[in-house]
Amino acid sequence: MKRYKIASLLMIFHGAFMELGGCLMLVPLLFFANDDTDINRYFSFIVPYLQDHLCLIALIGGIFGILRIIGAIGLFKNRMWGLVLSVINCVITLALMAFMLPAGIADGILAGTALLLILTEYYGKAKIVDGDEQ
């Protein structure tokens, strides 16, 4: 049970500060932008498409952040839907982290750690095959 709590706190931190924080950091830049402001100067991604569509990436990050926090709260309250949503969020993050470099490294560390904690708590010491069937 303790691993679920730690994983949910990691996911709340990840969703609030990395996903929603990154999304909210664009708001002042867009609000106070003028012709001399180049948003690409402050954010960089390895994939040119993502770099060219930073506003959409920020929106997607906000959605991921909200879903990650909701899943983490469900996991913290010991709800099965929270566990499933959290696993889905972690797996998607690990699959997409390579496209979001350099921020994807931190995403992978946080999501990978949370997923590892969730899976080791859920499966515990269960074996793939019992010792009698070998």
Side-chain angles (χ1 to χ4, degrees), residues 28-98:
L29 284 174
L30 294 173
F31 188 68
F32 295 113
N34 56 30
D35 293 336
D36 296 333
T37 305
D38 182 22
I39 295 174
N40 291 329
R41 184 174 61 176
Y42 302 106
F43 299 95
S44 65
F45 292 110
I46 196 169
V47 179
Y49 180 81
L50 300 178
Q51 190 67 37
D52 294 339
H53 297 90
L54 281 176
C55 293
L56 294 176
I57 296 302
L59 181 62
I60 291 169
I63 293 168
F64 266 101
I66 291 168
L67 286 174
R68 188 179 307 279
I69 292 170
I70 291 170
I73 291 170
L75 183 64
F76 193 82
K77 291 185 174 189
N78 200 25
R79 301 291 187 259
M80 187 58 83
W81 62 265
L83 180 120
V84 173
L85 183 57
S86 296
V87 168
I88 290 169
N89 275 321
C90 289
V91 169
I92 289 173
T93 300
L94 289 173
L96 296 178
M97 70 182 220

Side-chain angles (χ1 to χ4, degrees), residues 4-5 15 20 31 40 42 55 68 90 111 116 120-121 134:
Y4 285 150
K5 303 290 183 195
L20 288 176
F31 188 68
N40 291 329
Y42 302 106
C55 293
R68 188 179 307 279
C90 289
L116 183 65
T120 55
E121 179 67 23
Q134 292 180 0

